[in-house]
Amino acid sequence: MYKTTSSSILRAASSRSPLFSSRSSLTQSSSSAAAAASPSPSSSLLGRRSFATSSPAFRSLPRWSHCLHSRPSPFRLSSQIRTVSPGLDRLERKFSSMASEHPFKGIFTTLPKPGGGEFGKFYSLPALNDPRIDKLPYSIRILLESAIRNCDNFQVTKDDVEKIIDWEKTAPKQVEIPFKPARVLLQDFTGVPAVVDLACMRDAMNKLGSDSNKINPLVPVDLVIDHSVQVDVARSENAVQANMELEFQRNKERFAFLKWGSTAFQNMLVVPPGSGIVHQVNLEYLGRVVFNTQGVLYPDSVVGTDSHTTMIDGLGVAGWGVGGIEAEATMLGQPMSMVLPGVVGFKLSGKMRNGVTATDLVLTVTQILRKHGVVGKFVEFYGDGMSGLSLADRATIANMSPEYGATMGFFPVDHVTLQYLKLTGRSDETVAMIEAYLRANNMFVDYSEPQQDRAYSSYLELNLDNVEPCISGPKRPHDRVPLKEMKADWNSCLDSKVGFKGFAIPKEAQEKVANFSFDGKPAEITHGSVVIAAITSCTNTSNPSVMLGAGLVAKKACDLGLQVKPWIKTSLAPGSGVVTKYLLKSGLQEYLNQQGFNIVGYGCTTCIGNSGEINESVGAAITENDIVAAAVLSGNRNFEGRVHPLTRANYLASPPLVVAYALAGTVNIDFETEPIGTGKNGKDVFLRDIWPTTEEIAEVVQSSVLPDMFRATYESITKGNPMWNELSVPENTLYSWDPKSTYIHEPPYFKDMTMDPPGPHNVKDAYCLLNFGDSITTDHISPAGNIQKDSPAAKYLMERGVDRKDFNSYGSRRGNDEIMARGTFANIRIVNKLMNGEVGPKTVHIPSGEKLSVFDAAMRYKSSGEDTIILAGAEYGSGSSRDWAAKGPMLQGVKAVIAKSFERIHRSNLVGMGIIPLCFKSGEDADTLGLTGHERYTIHLPTEISEIRPGQDVTVTTDNGKSFTCTVRFDTEVELAYFNHGGILPYVIRNLSKQ
């Protein structure tokens, strides 16, 4: 199916540290050559960027008006250098001389328009006349251009530029480079705590006697509210309005807070609820591809507080997920410090067969890349097969980069990209500028011309003709199952012991039938019965071919007389209003409605656990009979406990297959040999009878997806909606915290903070709070989904007079640290070895031997002044980039995590919150070392920051005489600075306050 080829380039770093440079921050165009074209603080476009103004109406902003502040950051060079690399002396440089002459002014040139005039000026890579650049992957060229444009021998040096040019030799050495993204992308779940932190940082600055207005975004920030809508109402023509009303009832306070933030902070744009999913809005509207800032042209790039920010890579925009705490520092002008990544070249050849979908392709690619190992690397796609992939197909593959572990899944810009830009309403002039710039800077791929070979760290190849229909599950997105093997795989899962591919159902219980009454009529479910079927997630709803394909499946099923069972909770949540427009124009929404797939809202819904309640009688049948019920969704995550507490089996599938499985009512089916149901003529109906051809889908896409739909959709979101427009917010730049609020609470991060860094903290005689195995995800760690009625968070809310019906989800309460700390490690499916096989959010308080909730045990340790650590296996922290997965453990008192390996974002987030990440040596883990978690642990880390080096070994000892060596996963000097300050945010505040 695919082949792997090694190259002369050694394997790159196993993880990347997307953190921030110790150098002072300047504007993105800081050269004298570009001075006339640099944005000015007095520019009319530099006002507050938001749909939310003091009046109910929105300010309508042009798509391409996002600009940058050109004032220099107030960070001080000398203090930062001394802090980051203690004992290292560098020559002082005066600020005025630093930016007086750009080191690369000689390649700053004009980009002419074909008909006369100019598009603007840019830094020309070809003008360097360096043959090494011609061999660079396109994704690395974006890093190179950024380094050249921002080079001032202060913030970004010529040595940094040389490291990137010499990528083929330097990447295997894990060298560190600075990178300045063009913008930051937020969604509301991660955006609320980010704005809370910014507001709290302003208060801290104020208390330290400094100017609180120094806390302000210096790069464009786009925040899309999409994570709050839940599927409370389904199978109803009124579902969208009903769910939005409930969404505003639950989230009015936090929405008002975000609206306040958009007016209190400069350069922040907020897209209101009901507009779409952040990554689809980014793809269809926010993505620039090329910035033109006051006449200076440069590639678009973005970091986002959601791991699926990578979806924009399909548009040729370099983007990936970072933690919220990192994004906040980026907003404040800190360049990112990152390890120069290796790049896996993934060649696509051939063409997909008839009936195979982009979802089948991405699940196949995910499995291949997981097997190859791409953590901390870029993946760059190329080859003849690219011509047959639509932009939406590419975005689907790029979207799931976190699932295959890569930092990016990058598709360089080509003619397909330009066609998509025109389809989505970008102007002809803008598209012409994008093409001209990228061609002039050797960043455009023209497959009609001979291709020069590029160097990659390793090579993969996939013939698209080998891709076959498939789904993934039942508990992980990379556990792909060919559709023809699904029935056998399901029965194997029932037989196998509890694990990622097992439920351990005894043979005699596997045929069990649970009878119940639904709406007064008899009904039944068995193991594998589908109880949730959701067309959801930006991964697929951004792709017209699979969405219209689902509509065609529904139509054919209606024509033949098939009907989804009424107790299956079906839903359709488009990623933007464009989807609704083309489903209506095609006439297919009518048939989706007939099968129960009414539109329920514009947001992430089921994909992030906002699936809402299932019918009580269905839920009772599941719990009383211990049924392994199934959910089938067109999402990107299916970790256990994420989709719904009662669906132990969760499968990722294309939208057409979601409809098909809903019709079948079970995942225990062989679609090749078994019928989906009986038609109105009494004959069996098979999947092949309702499956559309590729040509059928293409014809409907061609006639139904039009540029005017995109233009109309994104013009209308600037007008907001009545519920959003009616929210009133104060005009103060300092937030007035309400101590009674259960949504927005002032966090304790800066309590009693002084100007002196606290230095490294010792970990002595620490107890083990939790002992985990492999693949503990951020869904296990971070509070997510519904708040369970008997949880510490529920107790906190009830003590404050909040009724159970108003608990809302953890995600909606991310602005309250008290709730989030109580919800950390509260996942009902969590497996803690200290509990000897008992599953759930509990642990053993070692001194007393009591079984307590994780939060209660952590608080007991804290109250007695005891440190705690966590033991873990491989891939600790994989999943979404949730900052609360690091903030929560910090608030619970965790001082260190010792694991076999870490997911890259989570590791850096731990550092950002002052928690020490350590890795066992290769071949070792808690089990091989005989660690039970009942020991007390001392980490022998130097007490002086100057004595700690990135990646050094330290000794860990226990109170029962064991001793072993671990690697400290501070990967850069910058991370050591954060650790010295107690975290990234105190580091930023102290440096800002000195000015």
Side-chain angles (χ1 to χ4, degrees), residues 185 187 224-227 229 271 274-284 286 306 311 399 535-542 573-577 601-605 607 714:
L185 185 70
Q187 37 91 337
V224 181
I225 301 175
D226 67 349
H227 272 49
V229 62
V271 178
S275 302
I277 302 175
V278 58
H279 306 305
Q280 191 162 340
V281 174
N282 193 25
L283 188 74
E284 296 175 352
L286 296 173
D306 189 285
M311 188 171 188
N399 177 282
I535 300 175
T536 179
S537 173
C538 52
T539 306
N540 285 290
T541 67
S542 60
S576 82
Y602 298 90
C604 301
T605 63
C607 187
Y714 289 106

Side-chain angles (χ1 to χ4, degrees), residues 17-21 326 335-338 907-908 911 975 978 984:
S17 170
L19 290 167
F20 310 96
S21 169
E326 301 164 297
M336 294 176 57
S337 175
M338 60 182 287
R907 185 205 60 79
S908 61
V911 176
E975 291 188 344
Y978 297 154
I984 188 172

Side-chain angles (χ1 to χ4, degrees), residues 549-592:
L552 287 170
V553 170
K555 181 181 185 301
K556 291 171 181 279
C558 289
D559 292 345
L560 292 173
L562 299 184
Q563 187 65 46
V564 175
K565 294 179 177 64
W567 58 82
I568 298 176
K569 186 165 188 178
T570 46
S571 62
L572 166 57
S576 82
V578 176
V579 180
T580 302
K581 286 182 170 62
Y582 65 64
L583 284 174
L584 289 173
K585 180 172 176 57
S586 67
L588 295 175
Q589 184 63 55
E590 172 189 349
Y591 300 102
L592 286 165

Side-chain angles (χ1 to χ4, degrees), residues 740-752:
K740 296 180 181 179
S741 173
T742 57
Y743 278 99
I744 307 297
H745 184 264
E746 183 177 9
Y749 310 137
F750 314 118
K751 186 179 180 182
D752 302 324

